[in-house]
Amino acid sequence: MEALLLIDIQNDFIPGGALAVPEGDAVVPIANALQPQFDLVVATQDWHPSNHKSFASQHEGKKLFETTQLQGLDQVLWPDHCVQGTAGAEFSPELEMSRVEAIFRKGTDPEIDSYSGFYDNGHLKSTALAEYLRGKGVNEVYLVGLAADFCVYFTALDALKEGFPTYFIEDATRAISAEGFEKAKADMIRKGGQVIQSAQLLS
Ligand code: VGL
Ligand code: ZN
């Protein structure tokens, strides 16, 4: 049983959005084309309250993209993004949603960020995505979406920790930073993740 996880394919991560990932829109047609190849399709949704502490706007005197400490963890301060109920938090209107069986929301606790679809950044609270996937009989996880160097990367690391063979579909992701992505990719491979291209699945 193979699951495709659509990570944070939301308007705010697409050009024109509040935290636009360069070429983020390019992942949508690939994510759509891949879906029929999978037994199960699940999406994650970054879903922050407007006072989320990952927002630079919540820290007086701090600049966008500066790193600070939150709950004892390094925290990049982002522009306000994916605020609950706003258009920016919605999935891309071009994303096929008819086969998405479940949506896992994350980042709802204002005190801690949550890049992975499985846990918050401190691994304090689970979304139960791992249990859901096991309950569905999933034994391989494939990842697409945004951003390659943050939420897709951290979701991949947790999928590996949870024991799922994990495939990162590189051309169906885009990164915030090219440099950050190279490090993330090397780390993921070192930890047993497989980096593949969508063409290996589409034929
Ligand atoms: C993300 C930064 C902040 C992501 C979410 O989806 O990669 N990045 N929140
Ligand atoms: Zn976020």
Side-chain angles (χ1 to χ4, degrees):
M1 187 84 170
E2 301 179 346
L4 180 67
L5 270 50
L6 311 175
I7 307 299
D8 299 3
I9 307 182
Q10 294 167 259
N11 291 326
D12 270 342
F13 296 123
I14 282 172
L19 179 42
V21 177
E23 301 177 3
D25 50 332
V27 310
V28 181
I30 307 173
N32 289 346
L34 286 166
Q35 290 189 42
Q37 313 270 329
F38 285 86
D39 306 305
L40 176 68
V41 185
V42 174
T44 65
Q45 188 173 29
D46 209 34
W47 191 250
H48 298 306
S50 61
N51 64 343
H52 197 268
K53 295 245 176 75
S54 73
F55 297 169
S57 63
Q58 300 301 303
H59 303 264
E60 210 170 308
K62 299 243 191 271
K63 293 190 209 78
L64 283 179
F65 305 107
E66 192 176 313
T67 301
T68 188
Q69 291 287 115
L70 198 56
Q71 307 268 326
L73 303 167
D74 280 353
Q75 175 68 51
V76 177
L77 293 177
W78 303 109
D80 291 19
H81 65 278
C82 298
V83 173
Q84 298 172 4
T86 64
E90 294 306 313
F91 294 107
S92 162
E94 268 92 61
L95 183 65
E96 182 58 51
M97 292 299 290
S98 62
R99 300 184 75 254
V100 174
E101 293 193 30
I103 297 167
F104 286 80
R105 286 175 165 168
K106 60 191 182 63
T108 53
D109 180 346
E111 301 300 328
I112 194 161
D113 213 352
S114 196
Y115 294 145
S116 160
F118 291 91
Y119 290 93
D120 62 71
N121 291 3
H123 270 234
L124 302 174
K125 198 171 164 189
S126 164
T127 61
L129 174 56
E131 290 74 11
Y132 171 84
L133 294 173
R134 283 187 205 107
K136 288 274 194 182
V138 169
N139 47 25
E140 283 188 340
V141 165
Y142 290 74
L143 298 168
V144 302
L146 302 168
D149 44 346
F150 285 93
C151 291
V152 190
Y153 166 54
F154 284 99
T155 302
L157 293 190
D158 279 344
L160 289 165
K161 272 191 199 146
E162 291 291 335
F164 294 104
T166 302
Y167 296 83
F168 182 99
I169 310 175
E170 187 173 19
D171 60 314
T173 66
R174 287 295 184 279
I176 293 174
S177 141
E179 214 189 345
F181 177 60
E182 286 311 314
K183 280 191 195 146
K185 188 169 138 180
D187 185 44
M188 211 158 40
I189 292 169
R190 192 156 45 77
K191 290 173 173 159
Q194 311 251 16
V195 176
I196 62 168
Q197 307 302 318
S198 62
Q200 294 170 252
L201 302 171
L202 302 167
S203 51

